[in-house]
Amino acid sequence: MASGVSAARAAEEQPPPEPPADQKPPPVPPAPAQEEFSFLPLVHDIIKCMDKDSQDVHQVLNELKNKFQEMRKLISTMPGIGVSPEQQQQQLQSLREQVRTKNELLQKYKSLCMFEIPKE
């Protein structure tokens, strides 16, 4: 009987299995500054150039076109962009289950009174 109880405890205390390596997202590159995502200043410059009948409008239009191309490249390299919504939901459910399990284990360990928790 004792071996059955210890086997049950061992099964309870094992951490949940890690997701396969192909499901883990790649590391996130540092985020560019917020201004790099804004197209509004270029659109404003284009409107100003058109109001003034300036010849610079073609240059500003090319800048806007280049900015769109840069953003397309950035979006295509974002982690998880190739993951379907169904796969994202599965990953989210798995992560929520892991959090729930870890919270339960944490509460269980706290209830064992093996640790002195300082009160502030």
Side-chain angles (χ1 to χ4, degrees):
M1 179 77 174
S3 63
V5 172
S6 62
R9 282 187 186 158
E12 287 179 14
E13 294 177 3
Q14 289 180 350
E18 290 291 322
D22 60 347
Q23 288 184 358
K24 289 186 179 181
V28 179
Q34 185 70 22
E35 295 81 34
E36 291 184 38
F37 298 120
S38 178
F39 297 100
L40 193 57
L42 287 173
V43 172
H44 183 258
D45 290 344
I46 291 169
I47 293 171
K48 284 194 320 189
C49 287
M50 292 175 79
D51 284 346
K52 295 179 183 177
D53 290 328
S54 174
Q55 299 299 323
D56 296 335
V57 71
H58 294 292
Q59 178 184 353
V60 180
L61 282 170
N62 281 333
E63 288 176 26
L64 182 63
K65 178 183 170 185
N66 291 338
K67 186 135 189 164
F68 273 119
Q69 290 173 343
E70 288 175 24
M71 291 302 112
R72 284 187 185 112
K73 286 179 187 176
L74 180 67
I75 289 171
S76 68
T77 61
M78 292 178 85
I81 196 74
V83 180
S84 71
E86 293 82 17
Q87 290 171 323
Q88 291 178 18
Q89 286 297 326
Q90 289 174 349
Q91 289 176 352
L92 181 61
Q93 190 65 28
S94 171
L95 292 171
R96 284 182 175 158
E97 182 65 25
Q98 288 179 20
V99 168
R100 187 188 62 76
T101 303
K102 289 179 181 182
N103 279 335
E104 287 174 359
L105 286 173
L106 183 60
Q107 293 304 318
K108 179 180 172 183
Y109 291 141
K110 282 182 178 179
S111 69
L112 293 176
C113 297
M114 294 177 63
F115 304 106
E116 288 288 326
I117 300 175
K119 294 183 181 177
E120 295 181 37

